[in-house]
Amino acid sequence: MLLSRDESRMFVGDEFRDAVHVVDIESETVPRSVTRAGCHPGRLAETSDQTLVFVCTGSGTLVYADPDTGDVIDTVEVCANPRGLLLD
């Protein structure tokens, strides 16, 4: 779980649904989710330009997504069993 930089949203990993849910804090709704089959989302981060980044422990990838649309921007293979995430 991660609070957005502007504190308006929470990003919640749901490994049972292979999704990261974007929760609007003010309205207490889930307007969208980013889903990736076989992902099992782990650690989450947000870049300085508000791109959502999360580790897929099931597929060994990083996913870059637009939290406003739920669209996947890019995926990067990192290793067979990723657990942590650090953005520089």
Side-chain angles (χ1 to χ4, degrees):
M1 193 167 13
L2 175 73
L3 179 64
S4 66
R5 290 177 185 263
D6 65 6
E7 299 183 355
S8 67
R9 302 180 278 205
M10 283 294 271
F11 306 117
V12 181
D14 182 349
E15 69 178 63
F16 299 106
R17 292 178 182 86
D18 290 331
V20 174
H21 306 293
V22 180
V23 179
D24 182 285
I25 293 174
E26 185 175 324
S27 66
E28 297 180 1
T29 62
V30 180
R32 74 200 53 79
S33 298
V34 180
T35 58
R36 300 290 295 174
C39 177
H40 304 285
R43 303 285 185 205
L44 304 148
E46 184 181 26
T47 66
S48 59
D49 67 352
Q50 297 181 329
T51 298
L52 175 62
V53 183
F54 57 94
V55 174
C56 289
T57 60
S59 63
T61 58
L62 285 180
V63 174
Y64 293 81
D66 182 337
D68 294 323
T69 64
D71 294 335
V72 172
I73 299 167
D74 195 12
T75 60
V76 178
E77 288 188 35
V78 288
C79 67
N81 197 13
R83 292 291 176 238
L85 175 61
L86 175 68
L87 295 179
D88 184 15

